[in-house]
Amino acid sequence: MLGLVSEKTIALVTGANKGIGYEIAVGLTALGWSVGVGARDEHRGADAVAKLRAAGADAFAVPLDVTDDESVSAAVRLVEERAGRLDVLINNAGVAGGWPEEPSTVDLETVRRLVETNVMGVIRVTNAMLPLLRRSAHPRIVNQSSHVSSLTLQTAPGVDLGGISGAYAPTKTFLNAVTIQYAKELSGTNILINNACPGYVATDLNGFSGTRTPEQGAAIAVRLATLPDDGPTGQMFDDSGVVPW
């Protein structure tokens, strides 16, 4: 298997069995890449891979719970055995709390659960995959953030980001801060790391209330995954360009 895929770009997308993550996988496989479909539910992951393969895509299942050390370690072994390296990591898996959700009444267990997935999960997967990414000639990391993460937008008069978010929005702001620190650490390497804002996409994360399709939401992550070697790092982008921190 290693010989068959070594000439292809190898990507891993977490939370890729549905929604934006699935469409990111669609977009990357359309480039001729071999894409690992990370999914906490092994059966749903297998179904997503079957659907991609039926359309002619090169996809493989990666059972992956970003909150579990053993699951992440197993995913690293799977990617290494299959390809020997990783070219692109897209940290897409995420969970949301209630909305609106006031910080004065938010359940602390909800906050912990969101931080564990949206922040610690990204750190856990990124750190585990970094040795494989360092073997790539053009490594890229894309973290799925949100416009609600932006402190600039949150405090700008007249900007409506959907009400108060006592848990979800702060976890994405936390993720932004983590991404900046990774960019500083990796500044002397060829690894580019950026955050993507997909916009208000209709997914089960928001009860399908969004105004954009998952395919539209996936476009910016695909773009950041394909940045040239002299592309930006340590920034946040949407379809229109740079999003302020």
Side-chain angles (χ1 to χ4, degrees):
M1 183 63 72
L2 181 60
L4 294 176
V5 299
S6 61
E7 298 305 315
K8 285 193 172 187
T9 298
I10 311 300
L12 171 64
V13 185
T14 68
N17 61 285
K18 61 182 178 178
I20 298 172
Y22 178 81
E23 292 300 332
I24 292 172
V26 170
L28 297 180
T29 56
L31 300 173
W33 293 13
S34 180
V35 177
V37 175
R40 182 174 54 183
D41 186 307
E42 189 170 347
H43 297 293
R44 291 178 180 176
D47 288 345
V49 168
K51 184 177 178 182
L52 287 164
R53 287 178 175 172
D58 183 351
F60 59 99
V62 182
L64 178 55
D65 180 350
V66 303
T67 69
D68 183 84
D69 290 337
E70 291 186 5
S71 176
V72 173
S73 295
V76 171
R77 291 193 297 271
L78 189 155
V79 174
E80 182 166 27
E81 290 170 3
R82 180 181 178 87
R85 71 175 194 283
L86 182 63
D87 298 302
V88 174
L89 170 63
I90 299 186
N91 288 304
N92 170 76
V95 292
W99 202 295
E101 190 169 49
E102 296 178 343
S104 61
T105 57
V106 67
D107 176 46
L108 289 181
E109 286 305 315
T110 296
V111 177
R112 290 189 183 96
R113 178 174 62 88
L114 268 61
V115 170
E116 179 64 41
T117 299
N118 298 349
V119 182
M120 294 180 66
V122 171
I123 296 172
R124 180 179 288 110
V125 173
T126 299
N127 289 352
M129 294 292 173
L130 268 174
L132 295 182
L133 285 162
R134 293 184 189 278
R135 299 176 188 174
S136 171
H138 311 283
R140 306 288 180 262
I141 302 172
V142 182
N143 295 331
Q144 197 72 282
S145 190
S146 168
H147 289 100
V148 302
S149 72
S150 169
L151 297 178
T152 299
L153 296 180
Q154 284 280 6
T155 56
V159 175
D160 180 12
L161 294 176
I164 298 172
S165 171
Y168 176 75
T171 66
K172 291 301 185 179
T173 305
F174 191 172
L175 176 61
N176 290 351
V178 168
T179 297
I180 290 171
Q181 299 309 313
Y182 271 116
K184 288 182 176 181
E185 179 183 354
L186 298 170
S187 62
T189 74
N190 59 349
I191 301 176
L192 304 182
I193 179 169
N194 292 286
N195 283 9
C197 292
Y200 191 31
V201 177
T203 68
D204 58 2
L205 199 71
N206 55 39
F208 299 96
S209 61
T211 56
R212 287 163 58 83
T213 67
E215 183 178 6
Q216 290 172 322
I220 183 60
V222 172
R223 194 176 98 196
L224 293 174
T226 56
L227 286 174
D229 290 341
D230 62 351
T233 191
Q235 297 186 56
M236 180 161 61
F237 296 87
D238 63 10
D239 289 343
S240 299
V242 176
V243 177
W245 296 119

